[in-house]
């Protein structure tokens, strides 16, 4: 299946480079471009992308607000992959809280862009645990998630800590010696109890509330 990608960035040269890179992938196609976050919702409705590559720092409507609007106003929204210059960018932190599924540095190799798009389109979240830990440590910000860590079971807490290391459901199943379906059930319960839309929000919440400490071992 071909994945449909929308590129949102205020730099025309970057958009052109990303389009060329992605259109050369057999399973990816660029269906639209935007230079300002204010254009994104209408464009998503028109071209129906699977993934939006979203710059966070743009004049007008930035990527954080654009992400919020897409997730709030589109009934079945696309996944949002934030692209940024710095991996400790406060904008990235806010974008993850807004519901972005992950982030990627603009200097990443072309193979990393393609892999990232496929990863989040498949329902996984692209996390860089070291970077998220640095962001939370440097800038502890209140989230809109209800602080209810005590509602998690012991097993759900274990699963959340493994999610915070960037591990996939398959990895978690292997680590805990449980079935993949059981992991998926735990992940769904975690999202429901924390009020998180995806793994990114759950991980930020875990750091903010102390479920996962900033010094938590990542591997």
């Amino acid at each position: 299946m071909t994945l449909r990608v929308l590129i949102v960035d205020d730099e025309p040269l970057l958009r052109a480079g990303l389009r060329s890179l992605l259109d050369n992938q057999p399973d990816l196609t660029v269906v639209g471009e935007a230079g300002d976050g204010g254009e994104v919702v209408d464009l998503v409705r028109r071209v129906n992308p699977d993934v939006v590559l979203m710059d966070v720092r743009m004049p007008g409507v930035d990527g954080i607000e654009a992400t919020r609007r897409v997730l709030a106003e589109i009934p079945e929204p696309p996944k949002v992959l934030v692209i940024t210059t710095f991996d400790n960018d406060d904008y990235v932190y806010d974008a993850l809280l807004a519901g972005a599924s992950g982030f990627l540095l603009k200097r990443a190799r072309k193979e990393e862009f393609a892999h990232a798009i496929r990863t989040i389109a498949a329902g996984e979240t692209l996390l860089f645990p070291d970077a998220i830990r640095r962001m939370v440590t440097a800038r502890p910000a209140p989230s809109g998630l209800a602080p209810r860590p005590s509602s998690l079971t012991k097993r759900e807490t274990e699963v959340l800590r493994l999610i915070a290391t960037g591990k996939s459901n398959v990895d978690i199943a292997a680590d805990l010696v449980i079935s993949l379906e059981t992991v998926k059930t735990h992940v769904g319960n975690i999202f429901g109890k924390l009020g998180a839309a995806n793994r990114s929000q759950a991980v930020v919440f875990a750091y903010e509330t102390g479920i996962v400490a900033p010094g938590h071992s990542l591997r």
Side-chain angles (χ1 to χ4, degrees):
M1 183 182 69
T2 300
L3 295 175
R4 301 165 60 83
V5 182
L6 172 63
I7 301 171
V8 183
D9 195 286
D10 63 323
E11 298 180 23
L13 285 177
L14 181 62
R15 294 200 307 270
L18 286 173
R19 175 182 281 275
S20 175
L21 183 159
L22 299 178
D23 279 341
N24 282 325
Q25 300 293 315
D27 59 336
L28 305 177
T29 183
V30 176
V31 294
E33 298 179 19
D36 185 275
E39 307 170 39
V40 175
V41 171
D42 287 342
L43 196 52
V44 166
R45 289 194 176 107
R46 292 203 308 271
V47 303
N48 191 31
D50 299 297
V51 175
V52 177
L53 289 183
M54 182 82 76
D55 186 18
V56 286
R57 293 177 179 246
M58 293 182 287
V61 177
D62 64 27
I64 301 164
E65 179 59 27
T67 297
R68 291 194 187 104
R69 292 181 186 181
V70 167
L71 297 181
E73 299 179 28
I74 304 298
E76 294 183 8
K79 306 293 185 182
V80 176
L81 177 64
V82 169
I83 52 176
T84 183
T85 305
F86 304 106
D87 65 358
N88 62 348
D89 195 327
D90 283 354
Y91 283 72
V92 174
Y93 185 85
D94 288 336
L96 294 176
L97 283 179
S101 292
F103 68 96
L104 192 65
L105 300 181
K106 290 184 179 181
R107 64 175 181 267
R109 300 187 307 273
K110 63 180 181 179
E111 295 84 3
E112 292 177 294
F113 274 98
H115 172 72
I117 290 168
R118 296 180 186 116
T119 297
I120 68 168
E124 294 288 351
T125 295
L126 195 72
L127 293 174
F128 295 86
D130 283 315
I132 290 179
R133 183 174 62 181
R134 286 197 300 273
M135 282 188 279
V136 175
T137 302
R139 179 184 172 277
S143 75
L145 305 174
R148 295 177 291 169
S150 61
S151 66
L152 296 179
T153 67
K154 180 179 178 180
R155 179 63 91 184
E156 288 164 356
T157 301
E158 288 177 323
V159 171
L160 179 54
R161 285 174 176 155
L162 289 172
I163 291 173
T165 70
K167 291 195 173 185
S168 68
N169 287 349
V170 173
D171 294 333
I172 294 170
D175 282 3
L176 298 181
V177 196
I178 57 179
S179 72
L180 181 58
E181 289 305 314
T182 299
V183 173
K184 291 178 179 178
T185 297
H186 287 315
V187 172
N189 290 341
I190 290 166
F191 290 176
K193 289 180 179 181
L194 301 185
N198 56 34
R199 294 163 97 92
S200 297
Q201 284 190 343
V203 169
V204 172
F205 176 87
Y207 277 115
E208 286 185 345
T209 59
I211 296 174
V212 176
H216 179 63
S217 176
L218 298 178
R219 294 295 175 194

